[in-house]
Amino acid sequence: MKQLPPEAMAGFSPTQFAAMPPAAFAGFNPQQIGQLPPEAMAGFKSTQVGQMPPTAFAGFSPDQMAAMPASAMAGFKPTQMAQLPAGAFAAFKPTQIDVMPPAAFAAFKPEQLGQMPPAAFAGFDPKQLAAMPATAIAGFKPDQIGQMPAAAFGGFKSTQVGQMPAAAFAAFDPTQLAAMPPTAFGGFKPEQIGQLPPEAMAGFKPTQVGTLKPDVVKALDPEQLGQLPPSAMAGFKPTQLKAFTAEQAPGLTVPQLDALSATQVKNLPAPFVAALTDAQEAAIK
């Protein structure tokens, strides 16, 4: 295959590709791949893809990737993914993402992730997301986040969350937030949590609340705080409660304040308490 002129690849059909032994794919180069007609990709198998040298992947185009059978994606390796041009990611489908081995995600780059169509994110699972480098998360966009199944959020790590653009948080919904492991919330930054839609706050659990940094708690606006489930209030720790401000006081509801323990109430700062209405203050006594 190494000696085959690139222009000769233009005549390959799916059936010819399907008949080739996997070992033959070890000789492909990017120039040859670039000449393959998209329809020929339909003959690719995972065993063949796995034998291709990483450098050959630099020749793939979006049209070719779109035509590759989902089953073939199971053969992808990290070193191969790293060589795919960012533009080629624009053609990924959820069915293709779904079968890719988690290890392949370890080489994702932010510019590649940023090119993926939102619909493709419906194919992500927790193990794939967990394998992704934290640096790649910087490529996330709101419309991509909005398509991810809630279960996939179970793979998030705090280091990954810390790299996500603040704008991406605007697409979070309650079920996605609820699926995240408590440790992931330690990566939240003030500018990120400020972008969460108020309705997403309904997904918070006590164990998740307890890992937020005090400056992140302080960044919550009244409307966001008002959407926290009363049960989540039990997760607030002394250092977090001491970060509450007078400006946040109007957002908290009587049921939320009533859910605080006597020990928690003792850690509420005086300016915050002074800003409470009579009904709110009665709830903490």
Side-chain angles (χ1 to χ4, degrees), residues 123-152:
F124 274 94
D125 69 32
K127 291 182 179 178
Q128 293 170 327
L129 191 63
M132 196 176 289
T135 51
I137 304 297
F140 266 104
K141 298 174 182 176
D143 55 356
Q144 296 170 329
I145 285 286
Q147 293 295 317
M148 283 182 68

Side-chain angles (χ1 to χ4, degrees), residues 159-235:
T159 51
Q160 294 173 319
V161 170
Q163 293 294 319
M164 192 180 293
F169 284 77
F172 273 56
D173 70 34
T175 60
Q176 294 172 326
L177 199 72
M180 292 177 68
T183 51
F185 287 79
F188 273 61
K189 297 176 181 177
E191 62 270 24
Q192 294 172 325
I193 203 146
Q195 293 294 316
L196 276 179
E199 58 270 21
M201 304 295 291
F204 264 104
K205 300 173 183 177
T207 51
Q208 296 170 327
V209 165
T211 60
L212 292 171
K213 294 183 176 69
D215 63 336
V216 172
V217 173
K218 187 176 182 178
L220 289 166
D221 67 36
E223 188 178 4
Q224 290 174 317
L225 279 172
Q227 294 297 316
L228 274 174
S231 59
M233 301 298 288

Side-chain angles (χ1 to χ4, degrees), residues 232-253:
M233 301 298 288
F236 281 113
K237 297 176 180 177
T239 54
Q240 296 171 315
L241 291 165
K242 290 175 182 177
F244 276 17
T245 67
E247 289 74 25
Q248 291 174 316
L252 287 164
T253 65

Side-chain angles (χ1 to χ4, degrees), residues 51-154:
Q51 290 294 318
M52 290 177 66
T55 52
F57 282 73
F60 277 108
S61 69
D63 288 344
Q64 291 172 324
M65 292 305 303
M68 188 177 288
S71 57
M73 307 296 281
F76 269 88
K77 299 174 182 177
T79 51
Q80 296 170 328
M81 292 300 295
Q83 294 295 320
L84 267 178
F89 281 73
F92 271 111
K93 302 171 185 176
T95 50
Q96 293 173 319
I97 293 293
D98 184 61
V99 299
M100 285 178 65
F105 288 78
F108 267 53
K109 301 172 184 176
E111 60 269 25
Q112 294 172 325
L113 196 72
Q115 289 294 316
M116 290 177 67
F121 284 75
F124 274 94
D125 69 32
K127 291 182 179 178
Q128 293 170 327
L129 191 63
M132 196 176 289
T135 51
I137 304 297
F140 266 104
K141 298 174 182 176
D143 55 356
Q144 296 170 329
I145 285 286
Q147 293 295 317
M148 283 182 68
F153 282 71

Side-chain angles (χ1 to χ4, degrees), residues 33 59 174 234 263 285:
I33 291 295
T263 301
K285 288 183 177 179

